[in-house]
Amino acid sequence: MTADETGPPPPAPPHAAPEQARRDARRIDAWSIAWTFLALMVWGWFAFLMLADYDPEFGTRTACRGPLVDPSPENNLCSSELRQWPALLGILALAVTTTVIAAVTMVYAKLLSRLARPDGPAARPQD
């Protein structure tokens, strides 16, 4: 081994850091879009389970109302595990979690793209 091999890597060219920051901002922005779509899907699933009518599993033709429309059905046949409140609260927690992650990654992507601009982070955008 020589002294050249054990030394620190050579410094990156000055234009490489802003380009890397722009690349990171685009990557995080793509992740924020993916998290936003996932959050929308989970919220849609939650709304469907809360509002949509459904048929019981036993094959009768009576439609059961969604838990938000009829929270305490008189018919005992209307018992779906996904339409019970513990499962619905779990789906609600999942929806809130994905929404918070989507918001955080979106703010982080906007911050990275603003910091990576060539004119600096303090410059005002031109509209």
Side-chain angles (χ1 to χ4, degrees):
M1 266 195 209
T2 64
D4 294 335
E5 292 175 4
T6 60
H15 66 284
E19 181 60 36
Q20 177 68 29
R22 282 191 290 274
R23 204 170 331 137
D24 288 345
R26 284 191 301 268
R27 183 175 49 88
I28 296 295
D29 192 37
W31 275 107
S32 72
I33 291 170
W35 278 109
T36 302
F37 282 136
L38 181 64
L40 286 172
M41 288 185 345
V42 174
W43 277 110
W45 182 35
F46 177 72
F48 175 78
L49 289 176
M50 288 292 288
L51 297 171
D53 294 343
Y54 62 101
D55 291 332
E57 290 90 23
F58 300 111
T60 61
R61 298 309 259 177
T62 59
C64 300
R65 305 296 305 244
L68 191 62
V69 179
D70 187 14
S72 58
E74 296 90 23
N75 191 353
N76 288 337
L77 296 176
C78 296
S79 61
S80 172
E81 286 82 20
L82 278 178
R83 311 249 183 193
Q84 301 298 318
W85 285 108
L88 290 171
L89 289 176
I91 295 169
L92 177 64
L94 184 65
V96 169
T97 303
T98 56
T99 303
V100 168
I101 291 172
V104 167
T105 54
M106 187 173 295
V107 167
Y108 184 60
K110 299 299 178 193
L111 176 71
L112 280 181
S113 65
R114 186 153 202 175
L115 288 174
R117 289 197 326 222
D119 53 353
R124 306 278 297 167
Q126 300 293 327
D127 292 327

